[in-house]
Amino acid sequence: MDMRAKTTLPAVAKLVWNRALDLVYPRDCISCGDIVEEGQFDYICGECIDKLYRVEPPWCHTCGFPFYGVVESARNCPHCADLDPVFEQGRTLFLYRELGKTLVQELKYHRAKYLLGDFGRLIKAAVDLPEFLKDAILVPVPLHSRKNRERGFNQSDLLTRCVAETMGDLPVENLLERIVDTSTQTRLSREKRIINMKKAFALKAGAEINPEQIYVVIDDIFTTGATLNACCAVLRRAGALRLRVLTLGHG
Ligand SMILES: [Zn+2]
Ligand SMILES: [Zn+2]
């Protein structure tokens, strides 16, 4: 049980309570397992934070992958060149390797809600993110209902709420549903999976789209971008013109 997440005390009492808990249950670093001394993060020690490759400018405006060295074009880097993106902009917080991979996997497979505080700190520290999210409605990538039952939670949902709270109560709308369970299709060829991904999502019944509105679709990881692009394609067909994507990690 995560004692910290359970408390509903006022801020000062919570601080004292957390200090007391630190003595009884020291917090372990998610990466090396050492006790985390008081610092910037709750579950990342001062040494391991250097193993997180946070994205800093310049980056690809389409998928958010950082450019190291020469920037040939601000769009369509090698990571998203084949995507034909429906969205106009993308951001990612860190690269999906070393500590970045551990963080994403803990959230996704172990429902590591205790990490949301540290994710909030990373979100707050991301360059220009308030500008990117200004006046936007946040839309989580949905899980298929079968998968949701099996896992018991949707990591994109958790993240979206974390982003919304961290950035000052941004609106969240669950506009999409997943109508095809693509996780059962891992034996299909890559081409077939991409075709199926395009049909995997639908607009939720009763969802309303405002063409003027900026929508930011949020997922835990950007791998090929096919999932996020499929979500954006549904919103585009429903009339959304200003689409963006945001992920924690970029693989
Ligand atoms: Zn560590
Ligand atoms: Zn790119």
Side-chain angles (χ1 to χ4, degrees):
M1 182 177 64
D2 187 346
M3 304 277 283
R4 286 163 225 275
K6 292 257 178 224
T7 54
T8 51
L9 301 166
V12 176
K14 198 166 185 171
L15 204 71
V16 174
W17 172 243
N18 279 339
R19 290 287 165 274
L21 280 179
D22 282 348
L23 295 174
V24 187
Y25 308 102
R27 285 174 278 112
D28 295 337
C29 172
I30 189 172
S31 180
C32 70
D34 280 357
I35 291 173
V36 178
E37 304 292 346
E38 198 172 332
Q40 206 189 347
F41 295 95
D42 289 338
Y43 295 94
I44 308 169
C45 78
E47 276 175 36
C48 289
I49 191 63
D50 291 339
K51 292 182 214 152
L52 186 69
Y53 301 98
R54 286 193 252 189
V55 174
E56 286 168 2
W59 54 64
C60 168
H61 280 269
T62 307
C63 73
F65 199 89
F67 293 122
Y68 300 108
V70 184
V71 182
E72 284 180 9
S73 148
R75 296 198 167 273
N76 296 80
C77 74
H79 300 274
C80 62
D82 296 334
L83 190 60
D84 195 11
V86 178
F87 51 89
E88 51 181 15
Q89 283 187 55
R91 285 291 310 273
T92 187
L93 296 189
F94 49 74
L95 298 187
Y96 186 65
R97 57 183 72 146
E98 295 195 39
L99 178 60
K101 198 169 182 176
T102 310
L103 288 169
V104 169
Q105 291 187 342
E106 276 298 301
L107 181 71
K108 191 167 186 162
Y109 301 112
H110 302 123
R111 194 182 198 165
K113 278 170 122 176
Y114 63 90
L115 286 176
L116 290 175
D118 284 345
F119 285 141
R121 290 174 190 105
L122 291 169
I123 290 162
K124 226 171 211 163
V127 181
D128 291 342
L129 199 59
E131 192 54 36
F132 182 81
L133 296 171
K134 193 167 178 274
D135 300 325
I137 287 178
L138 311 183
V139 184
V141 169
L143 280 184
H144 190 266
S145 53
R146 189 194 62 82
K147 190 92 190 168
N148 211 345
R149 270 199 306 279
E150 192 180 286
R151 195 178 282 174
F153 71 101
N154 173 4
Q155 74 279 5
S156 301
D157 245 350
L158 291 178
L159 272 178
T160 304
R161 271 183 265 141
C162 180
V163 174
E165 275 173 34
T166 306
M167 303 310 278
D169 276 332
L170 297 179
V172 175
E173 289 186 13
N174 290 283
L175 298 171
L176 301 165
E177 63 180 334
R178 201 166 191 139
I179 50 175
V180 179
D181 185 1
T182 46
S183 67
T184 59
Q185 301 176 342
T186 46
R187 285 166 62 193
L188 297 180
S189 70
R190 187 173 176 271
E191 288 72 23
K192 196 94 198 219
R193 271 188 286 140
I194 290 172
I195 291 167
N196 283 354
M197 184 58 81
K198 287 186 178 169
K199 297 182 278 187
F201 299 94
L203 198 68
K204 252 194 182 164
E208 283 182 23
I209 299 295
N210 174 0
E212 310 287 312
Q213 177 65 53
I214 298 171
Y215 294 96
V216 179
V217 181
I218 298 186
D219 206 0
D220 53 349
I221 179 167
F222 190 111
T223 309
T224 63
T227 305
L228 287 155
N229 210 29
C231 287
C232 288
V234 172
L235 296 172
R236 168 59 61 85
R237 279 198 296 276
L241 298 174
R242 309 181 67 191
L243 294 160
R244 299 176 181 177
V245 301
L246 171 67
T247 54
L248 268 189
H250 195 318

